[in-house]
Amino acid sequence: MRILTFDIGGTFVKYGIVGDDFKLLETHKVATEAEKGGQELIEKIIDIIESFDNIDRVAVSTCGQVDSENGIVVNAPGYIPYYTGMMVKKLIENRTGIPTFVENDVNAAAMGEAMFGAAKNQDDFICITYGTGIGGAIFADGRLYKGHGSSAGEIGHMITHAGGKQCSCGGEGCYECYASANALINAVNRVSDEELDAFNIFETEQFSKPEIRSEIDKWVDEIIIGLMNIIYIFNPSMIVLGGGIMNEKYIIDLIDRKIYNRLMPNYRDVTIVRSKLANDAALLGVAYQAANIK
């Protein structure tokens, strides 16, 4: 079976071909051009599909809350106008005739990690991605837990600071306002004399500055607050941390040094790891799901 798999993000659409052994045979990416809206985005996806021959299934991982049974984006981030309500599965199948499966991107990444990555053989784990916002997925009793309305796992919008910062969701004090990669960038740039991004913050010249290191350490404390809440609610065997910023070893090491002493003793056997599949997790996870649709 040849599956054409997509991962739609706010900046790029990544895509590739997955074969019978669930290895990526080739990968590509194009700009999302999110500002053009949902209809233009799906047209871009269809154009890519039509440029390939001998495709048996299409798999689409996308930002937003997704009704995967019907392939509909039920609630989309504001940076893709007119994407909420988009019937992705129907639009693709009507135009291409190829069976299509659609999933939320963090759910897809969790499935990838469960089948092929860091959480292989784990029945109960949580996957969290830290980027512009914070996304989450819950893997319980060996399967994805979707909740009522297929929208479970919005970890970025749990409240960690009551009455705190205004969030893009309309709430106040959401976890992602304090613990996302964007939150770190904003905090560091308030004390820096130059504009920094998530990557050069950790370059030696910047990382060695006490005022920047202090902001990083306070940010890690915010991450830990959320992780502790999740551990106490779900009691998972593992938490997988994704997002490019989690490739920084200092972050994982500091979480390890701090979090276990703060947890009640009977919760300390949780393992906290980085994503093993990184940018390929969602591509492989949603391809696996597409291969198993009836």
Side-chain angles (χ1 to χ4, degrees):
M1 181 181 292
R2 274 169 55 91
I3 300 170
L4 180 53
T5 181
F6 291 87
D7 183 19
I8 299 173
T11 305
F12 291 108
V13 175
K14 299 183 286 291
Y15 62 100
I17 296 291
V18 170
D20 287 332
D21 58 357
F22 290 101
K23 296 284 199 283
L24 280 162
L25 305 178
E26 57 181 276
T27 58
H28 312 271
K29 70 177 181 179
V30 295
T32 305
E33 298 179 298
E35 71 282 357
K36 292 185 177 180
Q39 189 63 48
E40 287 287 332
L41 175 57
I42 298 306
E43 287 295 328
K44 184 194 298 280
I45 299 299
I46 291 171
D47 287 345
I48 293 169
I49 295 167
E50 290 178 338
S51 72
F52 283 84
D53 295 321
N54 303 317
I55 299 300
D56 299 300
R57 299 273 169 89
V58 171
V60 180
S61 155
T62 179
C63 51
Q65 297 165 9
V66 175
D67 170 1
S68 56
E69 184 175 340
N70 297 298
I72 300 171
V73 178
V74 296
N75 189 42
Y79 53 76
I80 308 181
Y82 312 112
Y83 198 38
T84 294
M86 189 66 63
M87 294 183 286
V88 178
K89 173 182 168 69
K90 182 177 180 179
L91 289 168
I92 291 173
E93 289 183 345
N94 284 352
R95 289 276 293 277
T96 69
I98 303 172
T100 298
F101 181 81
V102 186
E103 181 62 279
N104 163 268
D105 51 0
V106 189
N107 281 342
M111 183 62 75
E113 295 292 345
M115 295 299 110
F116 314 110
K120 196 170 182 179
N121 301 320
Q122 299 289 326
D123 285 338
D124 296 276
F125 73 93
I126 308 293
C127 183
I128 311 172
T129 58
Y130 295 80
T132 304
I134 296 176
I138 303 159
F139 208 85
D141 294 328
R143 62 184 182 87
L144 280 168
Y145 174 74
K146 301 291 191 70
H148 176 70
S150 300
S151 299
E154 280 291 348
I155 287 168
H157 297 293
M158 66 180 176
I159 307 302
T160 57
H161 294 262
K165 296 176 183 177
Q166 186 74 38
C167 182
S168 61
C169 73
E172 295 178 341
C174 293
Y175 184 42
E176 70 178 39
C177 294
Y178 298 87
S180 64
N182 265 20
L184 174 63
I185 294 165
N186 292 337
V188 166
N189 282 326
R190 285 194 291 269
V191 300
S192 174
D193 54 6
E194 58 184 291
E195 195 76 11
L196 302 175
D197 61 28
F199 302 102
N200 55 32
I201 285 171
F202 289 90
E203 291 174 354
T204 303
E205 180 186 355
Q206 304 299 335
F207 187 65
S208 61
K209 296 176 180 178
E211 65 275 18
I212 289 179
R213 181 76 67 88
S214 174
E215 293 301 326
I216 293 171
D217 288 356
K218 287 188 285 187
W219 173 74
V220 170
D221 282 338
E222 295 289 351
I223 290 175
I224 288 171
I225 289 170
L227 293 180
M228 290 179 66
N229 286 335
I230 291 161
I231 290 165
Y232 285 140
I233 293 168
F234 293 103
N235 191 26
S237 60
M238 176 178 285
I239 297 178
V240 180
L241 306 182
I245 201 164
M246 287 300 162
N247 290 324
E248 298 293 339
K249 187 174 183 294
Y250 178 81
I251 298 170
I252 300 295
D253 287 348
L254 189 55
I255 291 171
D256 271 347
R257 287 204 305 272
K258 287 187 169 187
I259 192 169
Y260 294 104
N261 288 336
R262 299 182 186 180
L263 289 167
M264 287 189 281
N266 55 313
Y267 288 89
R268 292 176 187 168
D269 61 347
V270 61
T271 303
I272 300 172
V273 298
R274 285 181 288 188
S275 164
K276 184 176 179 179
L277 301 176
N279 290 334
D280 293 340
L283 290 171
L284 290 171
V286 77
Y288 177 84
Q289 290 172 286
N292 288 282
I293 60 176
K294 304 301 182 187

